Amino acid sequence: MSSRQRVIIAGAGPVGLMTALGLATQGIPVLVVEQAPALTVDLRAGSYHPPTLEMMAPYGITDRMHETGIRVPIWQIRDRRSNAVAEFDLGLLSDITPYPYRFHLEQHKLTPIIFDFLQKQPTAEVRFGTQFVDVAQEADGVRVTVESDGRQEVIEGAWLIGADGGRSAVRKSQDFEFDGYTWPELFFVISIADDLAQYGYAKNAYIADPDEWIALFKMPGDRPEGMWRVIWPVDPTVPEEVYQRPDEMEGRLQKFQPKPGPYQTLYSSFYRTHQRVATRWRKGRVILAGDAAHLNNPLGAFGLNSGVHDAHNLIEKLGRVWRGENLDLLLGLYERQRRTACVEHVQANSIRNKRLLEEKDPEIRRQRFEELQRTAATPELARDFLLTSSMISSVRRAAAVA
Ligand SMILES: Cc1cc2nc3c(=O)[nH]c(=O)nc-3n(C[C@H](O)[C@H](O)[C@H](O)COP(=O)(O)OP(=O)(O)OC[C@H]3O[C@@H](n4cnc5c(N)ncnc54)[C@H](O)[C@@H]3O)c2cc1C
């Protein structure tokens, strides 16, 4: 077999690995190049929606996730000032999904599961410590320059998929436009061992406040009791070390939820977030997926989920192209379907979620919370709301694009 008879994927994050697994399962040779020496210990994502669990289930991934993850059927939107709570129960969707809950598991515990399944595929290869550098496109394939141990090498394939994250070198190498903006604040994540459920917080809660909103996620962590991730917006002009001082973090946590004795802080980290979508997702034989194609703020937990939705869509279409079906038609459809879902749902809803949490006008906040509580208390309204927040509408929207 010619070395062109394979798909090269840049990036062994969740999206690159998922795409590789889906293609290899169809017998298509895949080579994943990952710049890091091993799977990265990524602390970013951790909350998965029902369609994503459904898409990963046929590979056995979802069952494996359930061995250690946490089911979160009930989640909340709260107002920090008035203490108003709107509580949503995903059990309302149990007639349309086998997974009527959000599911919490750290991103760095998902990637080894996918990798484990990928290693069992005879047509799959993953090269760590190998960085994508550049690509030259030819009529029937791609010549990809990679670098490992300071040495450059050219590898050939039929297609190149850029799943190399937000700073995607693949995207830059082909001058894909990446329109959008960067949020001014940093997202500061503090992980704590203390149990916030005892104060009435659901395992996933978004807490609105005009000065300092908060998002909470209960995660498995490395302890049987699990841990909580608490996310806050902070000023990027203040040095990160200031926010990470133990007394600063303790004061911040006590101001949010006073309690006797100090909090047990496990670790903390900062993230810059963006709203950006590539104008094109494919140029010739180079295709983008996941964060390489789109970025959103994490309020709503859409980033990794939508990346897996990209992979799921692309696996099916590229598989058909591989078996001889119309290339332009199918890959054009991939781009249109996923980009539409991304712009109309992922971008729109993540921006709306952030605006809801940071709204400054007290009257607008009051009205919104009344509306949210009415929605949560009315099953038909709650169901519609949940279809959107759980990304089921987004997947349906993509499928409706012809
Ligand atoms: C605070 C925070 C919380 C989040 N929480 C959630 C959540 O709960 N749910 C959710 O759905 N999303 C969440 N996200 C978003 C989620 O983390 C990302 O959408 C997800 O990691 C994207 O996966 P990916 O595989 O596309 O990219 P990445 O995870 O970034 O993986 C890209 C891979 O490519 C490799 N790479 C990069 N450049 C090269 C190169 N030149 N050559 C070879 N390899 C390369 C990298 O090393 C990496 O392994 C969150 C984000 C943040 C910041």
Side-chain angles (χ1 to χ4, degrees):
M1 188 185 4
S2 140
S3 61
R4 289 226 161 165
Q5 290 298 308
R6 66 180 171 197
V7 177
I8 299 172
I9 298 174
V15 176
L17 291 174
M18 203 50 231
T19 309
L21 179 60
L23 294 173
T25 305
Q26 301 174 62
I28 299 170
V30 287
L31 170 63
V32 182
V33 292
E34 165 58 51
Q35 66 181 11
L39 294 177
T40 58
V41 179
D42 201 316
L43 297 173
R44 285 177 292 166
S47 187
Y48 306 87
H49 293 292
T52 315
L53 298 171
E54 288 176 38
M55 288 172 192
M56 296 191 290
Y59 302 96
I61 299 167
T62 305
D63 278 352
R64 284 276 295 281
M65 291 170 78
H66 277 72
E67 289 168 14
T68 42
I70 301 174
R71 292 172 199 222
V72 184
I74 291 174
W75 61 281
Q76 300 169 333
I77 305 179
R78 308 172 63 114
D79 188 297
R80 196 171 169 184
R81 301 281 163 105
S82 72
N83 287 325
V85 181
E87 192 163 271
F88 294 92
D89 183 354
L90 277 148
L92 278 174
L93 303 183
S94 54
D95 58 330
I96 54 168
T97 175
Y99 309 105
Y101 39 82
R102 290 183 173 202
F103 191 78
H104 287 185
L105 181 73
E106 290 86 353
Q107 179 165 343
H108 66 89
K109 294 182 188 160
L110 169 66
T111 44
I113 296 176
I114 311 176
F115 183 61
D116 193 29
F117 284 108
L118 187 61
Q119 279 184 304
K120 299 190 173 93
Q121 291 295 328
T123 62
E125 185 190 347
V126 181
R127 279 196 215 164
F128 288 103
T130 306
Q131 185 180 36
F132 164 87
V133 176
D134 204 358
V135 56
Q137 297 208 42
E138 294 174 356
D140 61 345
V142 288
R143 290 170 56 77
V144 176
T145 306
V146 294
E147 185 169 318
S148 48
D149 294 329
R151 281 202 324 273
Q152 291 204 343
E153 173 195 357
V154 174
I155 53 176
E156 293 191 318
W159 299 92
L160 170 67
I161 298 175
D164 51 341
R167 297 192 179 125
S168 174
V170 173
R171 187 185 68 232
K172 290 173 188 159
S173 77
Q174 298 296 291
D175 293 328
F176 285 92
E177 282 172 45
F178 201 39
D179 289 349
Y181 57 90
T182 298
W183 292 104
E185 65 275 63
L186 286 181
F187 282 43
F188 180 33
V189 183
I190 306 180
S191 294
I192 56 171
D194 310 76
D195 180 18
L196 294 175
Q198 63 184 307
Y199 307 109
Y201 298 105
K203 289 175 191 150
N204 178 204
Y206 297 99
I207 306 164
D209 186 87
D211 298 329
E212 188 186 66
W213 53 260
I214 292 171
L216 301 179
F217 298 83
K218 171 142 194 204
M219 303 301 295
D222 299 322
R223 307 153 2 110
E225 319 85 283
M227 58 164 208
W228 289 72
R229 297 185 89 200
V230 190
I231 308 186
W232 336 64
V234 293
D235 179 352
T237 62
V238 176
E240 293 180 359
E241 312 80 77
V242 172
Y243 290 119
Q244 284 177 311
R245 281 202 326 244
D247 60 326
E248 219 295 321
M249 290 200 283
E250 179 61 22
R252 178 179 288 277
L253 286 158
Q254 290 286 356
K255 186 173 153 216
F256 156 54
Q257 179 56 58
K259 80 172 194 71
Y263 275 92
Q264 191 187 338
T265 299
L266 301 172
Y267 53 82
S268 61
S269 45
F270 296 87
Y271 299 92
R272 189 164 281 289
T273 69
H274 319 262
Q275 303 291 154
R276 292 183 191 277
V277 185
T279 34
R280 298 282 317 275
W281 289 29
R282 175 195 160 212
K283 282 190 183 175
R285 291 182 166 270
V286 178
I287 307 165
L288 301 179
D291 273 19
H294 49 88
L295 291 170
N296 55 273
N297 82 71
L299 300 171
F302 300 137
L304 190 159
N305 282 273
S306 57
V308 172
H309 302 179
D310 298 344
H312 180 73
N313 192 306
L314 182 57
I315 288 160
E316 190 255 335
K317 302 216 169 43
L318 197 53
R320 287 168 60 190
V321 168
W322 197 266
R323 292 186 289 277
E325 286 192 48
N326 188 306
L327 176 164
D328 287 321
L329 192 111
L330 286 166
L331 295 179
L333 193 55
Y334 160 72
E335 182 182 66
R336 282 200 303 285
Q337 290 185 329
R338 290 307 311 151
R339 196 173 184 285
T340 301
C342 191
V343 170
E344 293 182 10
H345 285 256
V346 173
Q347 293 295 315
N349 293 329
S350 57
I351 294 168
R352 193 202 57 194
N353 289 348
K354 186 166 180 294
R355 296 282 183 227
L356 170 77
L357 294 193
E358 66 194 10
E359 176 57 54
K360 297 227 179 286
D361 184 318
E363 183 51 24
I364 296 177
R365 281 210 336 266
R366 192 189 62 73
Q367 284 172 11
R368 288 215 181 123
F369 266 86
E370 268 182 26
E371 198 183 312
L372 279 168
Q373 286 175 316
R374 195 168 47 249
T375 300
T378 315
E380 309 83 68
L381 298 179
R383 192 177 161 91
D384 274 356
F385 183 88
L386 287 166
L387 286 172
T388 299
S389 58
S390 68
M391 302 187 84
I392 293 173
S393 305
S394 141
V395 174
R396 288 181 177 170
R397 175 69 184 110
V401 173

